Amino acid sequence: MKEGASMKIEHISDTEYTVTDIAVENLKSSRFCVFDFEATEPNEQEDQISQIGAIILEGETGSVKSKFKKLVKPSKEIPKVIEELTGITNIDVMQAPGFQEIFQDFVSFSEGTVLVTQAGYEYDWPLLINESKRHNLRMLENKILDTKVLFTYLYPEINEVISTNFLIDYYSINDSDIKRHDALGDSILISRIFIEILKEYARRDIHEIKIEEPMIIKKVQLKKLI
């Protein structure tokens, strides 16, 4: 897999992967683009993006500077179970722009930022790589951070899978005002988790993230939906 910057991901089993060569300096002053995708099904190798959501965060304040939410028309039909889960129907995306157009909008929106996602190294990022290849588009070159990896960096002794719900519970995040399985709603939720993690880094006087040796990460185990 080709990743942003020099990051390396190696899948070592169905339940674990390693990450190496992640480096972001000056976390406090960086601009971040927290993003999330909805797709036709939860298979990053075969399925297609149906919605992109994102927000721009200023690292020092954690304040939201701008938001991005757009539907994408996939060439595959969205199964009924996914329509019910996300609220995005085949009728909704029928008149939406194709991936090429929305991708360019997302490239412009995220320019000059460090991308941030949750469980994205194992799903969102390879999904985007495969979509870009499918449409013969140049892949983003932004550095990308995953909140579950950032958390594991702080707490290597925790052996649980660092899922979104685990992080919500760990940091007592309020998600009562957020629509889950909506790309923008999940981006806002991830940003709240990310801000709490940044606060921990600051309390520990850690101002950069640098992973030079392979770090083992446990994969999220998705329930079979279809």
Side-chain angles (χ1 to χ4, degrees):
M1 182 191 300
K2 182 180 180 181
E3 290 90 13
S6 61
M7 179 182 68
K8 295 178 183 176
I9 297 174
E10 297 290 339
H11 294 273
I12 57 178
S13 72
D14 290 338
T15 59
E16 294 180 329
Y17 64 93
T18 63
V19 293
T20 320
D21 296 341
I22 297 173
V24 175
E25 299 177 352
N26 208 345
L27 292 170
K28 186 177 180 181
S29 62
S30 294
R31 293 178 70 246
F32 299 100
C33 177
V34 185
F35 74 96
D36 184 71
F37 302 140
E38 298 301 330
T40 51
E41 292 183 42
N43 185 324
E44 71 279 4
Q45 299 300 323
E46 300 177 4
D47 289 295
Q48 298 175 22
I49 293 170
S50 58
Q51 187 185 57
I52 298 178
I55 62 174
I56 299 295
L57 286 181
E58 297 292 347
E60 186 171 5
T61 62
S63 59
V64 177
K65 296 301 181 182
S66 52
K67 299 179 181 180
F68 182 99
K69 180 180 179 180
K70 294 193 179 183
L71 291 172
V72 180
K73 183 179 181 179
S75 60
K76 295 181 67 173
E77 185 173 290
I78 303 172
K80 184 173 178 58
V81 66
I82 301 297
E83 288 185 316
E84 292 173 351
L85 178 69
T86 65
I88 301 169
T89 69
N90 288 289
I91 293 174
D92 291 333
V93 299
M94 191 176 298
Q95 301 301 321
F99 176 77
Q100 297 98 318
E101 180 178 337
I102 301 303
F103 178 73
Q104 295 304 325
D105 292 343
F106 181 60
V107 169
S108 298
F109 181 81
S110 62
E111 184 177 3
T113 67
V114 176
L115 298 172
V116 179
T117 185
Q118 160 62 16
Y121 288 172
E122 57 205 81
Y123 181 69
D124 299 80
W125 196 240
L127 177 66
L128 187 61
I129 289 172
N130 289 325
E131 282 277 40
S132 299
K133 288 179 179 177
R134 190 178 297 122
H135 293 89
N136 295 312
L137 298 170
R138 183 176 179 179
M139 183 56 180
L140 285 164
E141 296 182 354
N142 305 52
K143 293 183 178 182
I144 176 170
L145 295 174
D146 190 321
T147 49
K148 68 185 296 185
V149 173
L150 293 172
F151 183 86
T152 302
Y153 186 83
L154 292 174
Y155 298 102
E157 72 278 7
I158 294 180
N159 291 319
E160 295 182 54
V161 175
I162 310 303
S163 65
T164 303
N165 287 335
F166 174 91
L167 292 170
I168 288 171
D169 291 341
Y170 187 89
Y171 287 113
S172 300
I173 302 291
N174 176 25
D175 65 344
S176 62
D177 60 331
I178 289 174
K179 180 182 177 184
R180 300 287 299 270
H181 305 297
D182 171 86
L184 180 59
D186 285 340
S187 295
I188 293 170
L189 178 58
I190 295 166
S191 74
R192 292 178 184 176
I193 293 169
F194 179 57
I195 289 168
E196 292 303 317
I197 292 174
L198 284 182
K199 289 178 181 177
E200 284 214 68
Y201 273 72
R203 285 196 294 269
R204 296 193 190 193
D205 201 28
I206 301 173
H207 303 294
E208 65 178 6
I209 177 77
K210 182 174 281 189
I211 301 174
E212 298 177 314
E213 299 296 328
M215 177 187 292
I216 296 177
I217 307 295
K218 294 184 182 297
K219 296 181 182 179
V220 172
Q221 301 299 306
L222 296 175
K223 295 179 180 179
K224 187 173 179 60
L225 297 173
I226 298 172

